[in-house]
Amino acid sequence: MSNHTLSDVEEGKDYSFPIQEEAILKFWEEIDAFHQQLKLSEGRPDFVFYDGPPFATGLPHYGHILAGTIKDVITRYASATGFHVIRRFGWDCHGLPVEYEIDKKLGIKSKSDVLNMGIGVYNEECRKIVMRYAHEWERTITRSGRWIDFRHDYKTLDLKFMESVWWVFKTLFDKNLVYRGFKVMPYSTACNTPISNFEAGLDYRDVSDPAVLVSFPVVDCDVKSSFVAWTTTPWTLPSNLALCVNPQFIYVYLKDPVGTVFIVAKSCISVIPGAMNKKKKLSDGWQICKEVAGKELKDLRYRPLFSIFEVEMKDTAFRVCIDDYVTEGSGTGVVHQAPAYGEDDYRVCLAHGIISKGSTLPDPVDENGCFCSPIPEELIGRNVKDADKDIIKILKEINRLVDSSRIVHSYPFCWRSHTPLIYKAVASYFIKVEDLREKLLENNKQTHWVPSHVKEKRFHNWLENVHDWSISRNRFWGTPIPVWTSPNGEEIRVIGSVEELERLSGEKVSDLHRHFIDHLEIPSSRGTDYPSLRRVEDVFDCWFESGSMPYAQQHYPFENKQYFERNFPADFVAEGLDQTRGWFYTLMVLSTGLFDRPAFKNLICNGLVLASDGKKMSKSLKNYPDPSKILNDYGADALRLYLINSPVVRAEPLRFKEEGVFSVLKNVFLPWYNAYRFLVQNVRRVEKEKQVLFTPDTLSDTKLNVLDRWIISESNTLVGFIRAEMEGYRLYTVVPRLINFIEQLTNIYVRFNRGRLKGKDGDTDCQAALSVLFHVLVLLCRAMSPFTPFFVEKMYQNLRQCLESSQNSIHFEPFPEVQEGFHDVRIEASVKCMQNIIELGRTIRERKKMPLKLPLSSMTIVHKDAVLLQDISTSLKSYITSELNIRDISISSDPLQYADLRAEPNFTLLGKRLGKKMGSISKIIKNMSTETVMAFQAEGAVSLEDEIINISEVVLRYEFKKLTNSDNVEAMLGEDGLMIFMDMEVREELVDACIAREIVNRIQKLRKQISLKIDDDIRIYYQIIPGQSKKLNGDLLRILFDFETYFDENLGTIPQAESESNSNVLLTHDSVTLSSGIGFKLKLCKPVVKIDSELLLQTCNHDFDLYTSFKTLILSREYSKFLREFQKSNNVVTLECNGQKINLRMGMEVQL
């Protein structure tokens, strides 16, 4: 049987958190901890969590680690509080991110390149890279401490997942929530596809673009006037079909000095070059010919800029429309309309009959963003953005350019290719989100978001202004849209399952990607005389797939139907703030369309993790440390706690700083570890001394002191707080409270009880203190297990050796319950007051530059709560005197004996209400006597100048009186009316105590330098330095004599004068000079047994062999235990060796 229950642990400076975490990972792997936890929790209620799928074509970054940590904390907590929590990882495998990588790899520039290669070849190239970094993802996520199932992950490219996506689409189609339409959409020319509005909002940049003023001569105008329009997209001008003005604005015919007449909004005259002087008046030679309302300009015709669409559009186009969307903020109040490239342009032109639904839309821009026929020959093949300068040149040549400049403005870029977007009319399948608006808003109300303002403002506003969602992409690698149509589009068949496709096509289907099904034809339901139906080319936007994951990961409704329907909506989801217009939005739209329910009940939205300079983290700029470096240098627990104890869990940005992670390690984990190590050291010490294994007492059976009761009560309060806050998913309140508790445990309980834990107050009290510390550390391990899974596992595996029953892992333990009978509000308040007193006392010492090592004689504590003062003056008194190094304290419950009570008006509350009376009423309040203020306080209100002033509208404070004999007294106010008065007079006996304390500190530093343990038995010897003054030598000897008890209590021995008779082993030595100037030499020695060989030989009857055997036995005995044996048996100990017994006498055969 082992001599110790707890294994020894190294010093904090030698403990490597990252190395120990690697060992814990191996331990978890050996016991298959995660899956074992799942097995143990089978049969419990389900807690359903949806994990948004990332792309594996890129490496994980801090944003992923942050979101993963939040998810891990919540799911670990749910598992520990009685739920079965399945956690499956998911992969987003389709879409532009994958195609973009392949396009770069293979040098693909256009859609025709893919068709020439073959869709099958292209798609299989995509399939090869979708899991490129899956191993790195699994390694990083596992290393960060997150438990999630990679064995049973879901992938959006799996047949079953894709089949459920088809079901989602068909269900929405059958509900009349899907249509194929023509809409102006953000368009990525680099990726040859439209993107959704929320994707377009992901990457806005400040860019410099041309800003041109262009003239549009009015047809048949007697004054030869021209409309002037302003645009920052000259490339759209060849497709101009109309102009638009605001019907409510006043427009002017503005004539310049040479007779040219411009039509612009009156409020925008200054936009015309030279029209206004510095005084904001019309310049000389300029005049307004007439003014008209915008509505009077409707249907005026003008000469088109280019003739390319003049013939086919002459009957409807090239005239003025009116609409309220035209503003005065920029431009001329006249907006040029190119319906193929602007959402408002398309709407206005459709409303005014410029174009019609189903008709051809002039659009001389191909899918690559290049001009095509019938554009002028010199522009064909040019990228539209690159062609701006050529179009400006043409405008100048045809005398239609009024002015040309540049403007810096915010412009959307493709989040994947990082190229400028354009707006372009495309044919697409749409979800009728606008029809769902009211249901979406109602379903949003049913969800709980943290922080709530993201739900109530950002997400609510987005839902209020939703547009129909374009879900199709004219691409290749994705889930094909399951729509088969006849050549003329008259017959449509939407497929909702593999079985349905096999039945209708007559062919077996093993994969749903384009190159496996595009060739499949479905016979027309109208008969053999009609052509077969073929699939449309489009694939789903990958956001539609990720929004379908609640159903597709379960292969619903084809499998797991009852399980899904029983557990929908999910209990919890979490992602970053950017997903309010991404995954959170698509989840809500699809669940509302399918079931008229939200997809989730609770949501945590985190902010963005930025580089330390506040910029976006960038691989090219190398402005952030690699996550693997942080994990290897500081460990995952420190990184986790740093991230979730920051503003980022309140959806605010976090500037990531490596020193912040180090600070968590130093200020949280090391003190916590040291408290744990201190327990282990003292348990092992007691076991060594008593030769009995440590068994912690149950708290109900233990005689507890005040700080025992306090830390037990605080831990109970902590558990109740965590449970309440975690129910509300408020990590931002829980983690600071946990860290504060760790600080309380290490800085108050352990530090204030070091003597008790070392056994200074007797064995019974030591057992009680060790038991309390043990139970609190075990409770803290259980409470912190969702947050710092590695460190608590390391401690638990050691601590569980003292438990009667335990689990194989801390993560199999239930979360602590609130224990009835252990909550003590009074003691929590009293200890809080004690801490306030100590802080005030330290502040006074610092202010007066009075070091803590210098004792002070007395302190008076004043507080109106007599019950609290009773605790302060009795059970808590010793802690205050020790921490502040004060000899005695006195108390008073009469604050008015020491201070006057004053009132001051709260200007924030009273200012608006009182108005001009504020000054006079303020003066009255400030001049109130103590008696008046007390009466005011008792009544709760007072009438002043016919105004009722409530006590809550003033601030009460104490103002110290001038006390007699107070020249050396320093006073300070604390919380809730607490006052302290410290006598700062320095006395000789106090100076001696200060020197004694300094001697102890020097000796303790020497012990630490040679790594002595608590229970190491040593002897301390001093030697006077020759030549030192008699006074200093006398001071030293006096202090060593007067403070013998103090030295014994703190060092376990009393320093002795060195003599030649000392036969101890020297461990270390040092020359010491104290702050008082006293100097001496110190030696720390290990005591050894001294044998009188002659007497021992005589006791052994001169049998040399027997003498040698007993000598060896004596020298092998541990000094301290041997000494105690003599003390217990009147200085005579009987030893037996080789069947022979002898009596040893203290001071004779042996000397100790």
Side-chain angles (χ1 to χ4, degrees), residues 295-428:
K295 60 185 178 183
E296 296 178 45
L297 301 173
K298 186 176 183 294
D299 290 331
L300 283 182
R301 306 187 71 83
Y302 63 88
R303 277 206 335 263
L305 283 171
F306 296 86
S307 60
I308 54 177
F309 298 117
E310 187 172 5
V311 174
E312 63 180 282
M313 301 297 297
K314 65 179 180 180
D315 293 336
T316 59
F318 313 118
R319 54 190 175 87
V320 176
C321 308
I322 57 173
D323 194 271
D324 290 335
Y325 95 91
V326 178
T327 66
E328 301 171 297
S330 59
T332 62
V334 180
V335 181
H336 116 80
Q337 306 289 291
Y341 311 119
E343 192 173 358
D344 283 314
D345 304 39
Y346 182 82
R347 176 183 58 79
V348 169
C349 288
L350 194 63
H352 286 77
I354 307 294
I355 58 172
S356 59
K357 284 187 177 180
S359 64
T360 303
L361 189 65
D363 179 15
V365 177
D366 66 17
E367 59 200 9
N368 297 309
C370 296
F371 279 121
C372 56
S373 180
I375 208 75
E377 186 69 28
E378 64 269 29
L379 297 178
I380 290 179
R382 296 289 306 282
N383 180 275
V384 292
K385 296 293 286 184
D386 294 339
D388 276 341
K389 55 182 179 295
D390 300 303
I391 293 172
I392 293 172
K393 181 180 177 183
I394 294 172
L395 293 174
K396 189 173 183 180
E397 290 172 352
I398 63 177
N399 201 30
R400 300 288 284 272
L401 183 67
V402 177
D403 186 49
S404 177
S405 60
R406 297 196 71 80
I407 184 174
V408 175
H409 63 153
S410 186
Y411 193 85
F413 276 63
C414 173
W415 66 278
R416 180 52 57 181
S417 66
H418 309 297
T419 55
L421 296 173
I422 64 173
Y423 281 79
K424 190 176 188 306
V426 292
S428 177

Side-chain angles (χ1 to χ4, degrees), residues 50 202 209 218 265 330 380 436 447 603 633 700 913 924 943 1062:
Y50 293 156
L202 294 177
D209 272 332
V218 179
S330 59
I380 290 179
L436 296 173
T447 61
L603 181 152
D633 287 354
S700 57
R913 183 161 76 81
I924 295 171
S943 177
N1062 293 337

Side-chain angles (χ1 to χ4, degrees), residues 1033-1067:
N1033 287 338
D1035 290 344
L1036 175 62
L1037 294 174
R1038 183 184 72 254
I1039 291 166
L1040 291 172
F1041 177 78
D1042 290 347
F1043 289 88
E1044 281 186 351
T1045 304
Y1046 173 74
F1047 289 127
D1048 193 31
E1049 287 177 351
N1050 287 275
L1051 299 173
T1053 185
I1054 300 170
Q1056 301 290 329
E1058 186 179 25
S1059 66
E1060 292 184 4
S1061 63
N1062 293 337
S1063 59
N1064 302 305
V1065 177
L1066 179 65
L1067 298 176

Side-chain angles (χ1 to χ4, degrees), residues 529-754:
D529 293 339
Y530 291 89
S532 296
L533 281 60
R534 295 188 64 93
R535 200 191 69 81
V536 297
E537 289 188 348
D538 307 64
V539 298
F540 282 110
D541 171 19
C542 59
W543 288 103
F544 187 87
E545 292 181 296
S546 60
S548 300
M549 65 76 55
Y551 330 105
Q553 71 165 345
Q554 299 289 343
H555 195 211
Y556 179 83
F558 310 102
E559 295 181 77
N560 306 305
K561 194 171 188 297
Q562 288 185 344
Y563 173 84
F564 171 79
E565 291 174 357
R566 185 174 67 247
N567 292 292
F568 183 80
D571 292 286
F572 168 66
V573 297
E575 292 295 342
L577 186 63
D578 53 335
Q579 296 303 321
T580 51
R581 298 179 180 182
W583 189 53
F584 299 154
Y585 172 68
T586 61
L587 284 174
M588 184 68 80
V589 168
L590 294 185
S591 67
T592 300
L594 292 169
F595 303 111
D596 191 18
R597 300 174 71 186
F600 50 85
K601 301 172 187 174
N602 301 285
L603 181 152
I604 295 179
C605 183
N606 62 264
L608 302 179
V609 183
L610 307 174
S612 59
D613 57 4
K615 296 179 181 177
K616 187 176 180 181
M617 287 186 171
S618 166
K619 290 181 183 177
S620 58
L621 294 176
K622 297 180 179 178
N623 60 352
Y624 66 95
D626 188 277
S628 61
K629 177 183 183 298
I630 297 296
L631 290 169
N632 292 333
D633 287 354
Y634 308 105
D637 281 341
L639 177 59
R640 286 166 67 106
L641 215 55
Y642 169 71
L643 290 172
I644 57 176
N645 189 38
S646 73
V648 79
V649 292
R650 298 193 300 270
E652 298 173 16
L654 166 66
R655 294 188 178 194
F656 186 90
K657 296 181 180 180
E658 183 174 348
E659 55 267 31
V661 184
F662 173 70
S663 178
V664 169
L665 197 67
K666 182 181 72 173
N667 298 326
V668 179
F669 285 96
L670 276 177
W672 187 7
Y673 175 81
N674 287 332
Y676 158 67
R677 179 172 179 265
F678 193 66
L679 170 76
V680 172
Q681 285 180 309
N682 282 285
V683 166
R684 289 173 63 85
R685 173 188 57 78
V686 169
E687 290 176 333
K688 184 177 179 182
E689 292 175 356
K690 304 297 180 187
Q691 290 295 295
V692 177
L693 294 181
F694 173 72
T695 301
D697 299 334
T698 57
L699 297 181
S700 57
D701 297 333
T702 304
K703 186 178 180 181
L704 305 175
N705 88 342
V706 61
L707 285 190
D708 295 336
R709 289 186 283 115
W710 167 72
I711 198 65
I712 292 169
S713 180
E714 282 284 0
S715 62
N716 212 38
T717 300
L718 174 72
V719 169
F721 178 82
I722 294 174
R723 282 184 168 273
E725 293 302 292
M726 288 296 283
E727 287 297 315
Y729 294 81
R730 291 181 288 272
L731 291 183
Y732 58 87
T733 62
V734 170
V735 178
R737 185 70 171 262
L738 281 166
I739 292 175
N740 178 257
F741 180 80
I742 293 171
E743 291 174 353
Q744 296 278 59
L745 175 66
T746 57
N747 292 334
I748 302 298
Y749 185 77
V750 173
R751 194 161 66 84
F752 286 18
N753 280 309
R754 291 183 74 86

Side-chain angles (χ1 to χ4, degrees), residues 34-35 38 47-54 71 75 85-91 141 146-156 158 160-161 549-556 559-560 563 583:
F34 172 46
H35 293 94
L38 290 175
F47 179 92
V48 177
F49 155 68
Y50 293 156
D51 196 21
K71 298 169 187 177
T75 51
V85 190
I86 295 174
R87 286 153 271 182
R88 295 178 63 197
F89 200 78
W91 302 100
I141 287 168
R146 186 180 177 194
W147 279 6
I148 192 162
D149 196 343
F150 286 98
R151 297 181 197 171
H152 305 96
D153 57 0
Y154 71 86
K155 302 179 183 70
T156 60
D158 290 340
K160 289 184 176 181
F161 192 99
M549 65 76 55
Y551 330 105
Q553 71 165 345
Q554 299 289 343
H555 195 211
Y556 179 83
E559 295 181 77
N560 306 305
Y563 173 84
W583 189 53

Side-chain angles (χ1 to χ4, degrees), residues 650-882:
R650 298 193 300 270
E652 298 173 16
L654 166 66
R655 294 188 178 194
F656 186 90
K657 296 181 180 180
E658 183 174 348
E659 55 267 31
V661 184
F662 173 70
S663 178
V664 169
L665 197 67
K666 182 181 72 173
N667 298 326
V668 179
F669 285 96
L670 276 177
W672 187 7
Y673 175 81
N674 287 332
Y676 158 67
R677 179 172 179 265
F678 193 66
L679 170 76
V680 172
Q681 285 180 309
N682 282 285
V683 166
R684 289 173 63 85
R685 173 188 57 78
V686 169
E687 290 176 333
K688 184 177 179 182
E689 292 175 356
K690 304 297 180 187
Q691 290 295 295
V692 177
L693 294 181
F694 173 72
T695 301
D697 299 334
T698 57
L699 297 181
S700 57
D701 297 333
T702 304
K703 186 178 180 181
L704 305 175
N705 88 342
V706 61
L707 285 190
D708 295 336
R709 289 186 283 115
W710 167 72
I711 198 65
I712 292 169
S713 180
E714 282 284 0
S715 62
N716 212 38
T717 300
L718 174 72
V719 169
F721 178 82
I722 294 174
R723 282 184 168 273
E725 293 302 292
M726 288 296 283
E727 287 297 315
Y729 294 81
R730 291 181 288 272
L731 291 183
Y732 58 87
T733 62
V734 170
V735 178
R737 185 70 171 262
L738 281 166
I739 292 175
N740 178 257
F741 180 80
I742 293 171
E743 291 174 353
Q744 296 278 59
L745 175 66
T746 57
N747 292 334
I748 302 298
Y749 185 77
V750 173
R751 194 161 66 84
F752 286 18
N753 280 309
R754 291 183 74 86
R756 293 179 64 224
L757 292 162
K758 287 181 178 181
K760 296 291 178 61
D761 296 335
D763 294 345
T764 303
D765 194 54
C766 177
Q767 172 72 15
L770 289 174
S771 298
V772 169
L773 182 56
F774 175 86
H775 285 298
V776 170
L777 282 172
V778 171
L779 179 141
L780 189 56
C781 284
R782 292 165 62 194
M784 287 294 287
S785 62
F787 303 90
T788 56
F790 292 102
F791 187 47
V792 296
E793 185 74 272
K794 178 67 178 177
M795 286 190 291
Y796 178 78
Q797 290 305 319
N798 199 14
L799 295 174
R800 65 182 284 229
Q801 304 307 315
C802 293
L803 295 171
E804 288 185 11
S805 62
S806 63
Q807 299 286 347
N808 285 344
S809 167
I810 184 67
H811 302 291
F812 302 165
E813 289 276 5
F815 196 83
E817 299 280 354
V818 175
Q819 298 295 315
E820 296 296 330
F822 285 108
H823 189 204
D824 192 328
V825 177
R826 170 179 168 177
I827 204 63
E828 286 188 29
S830 295
V831 173
K832 183 180 179 182
C833 182
M834 176 193 75
Q835 291 176 258
N836 194 5
I837 291 168
I838 292 170
E839 288 169 8
L840 293 175
R842 287 173 179 164
T843 301
I844 289 176
R845 278 185 171 275
E846 289 171 9
R847 192 169 64 191
K848 300 300 292 184
K849 297 182 180 179
M850 188 75 72
L852 197 59
K853 61 187 177 183
L854 181 62
L856 297 175
S857 60
S858 65
M859 176 174 69
T860 300
I861 300 169
V862 182
H863 198 284
K864 59 188 177 184
D865 189 336
V867 174
L868 185 148
L869 283 177
Q870 182 183 353
D871 291 338
I872 293 296
S873 62
T874 53
S875 56
L876 296 173
K877 178 180 178 180
S878 60
Y879 300 112
I880 298 172
T881 55
S882 175

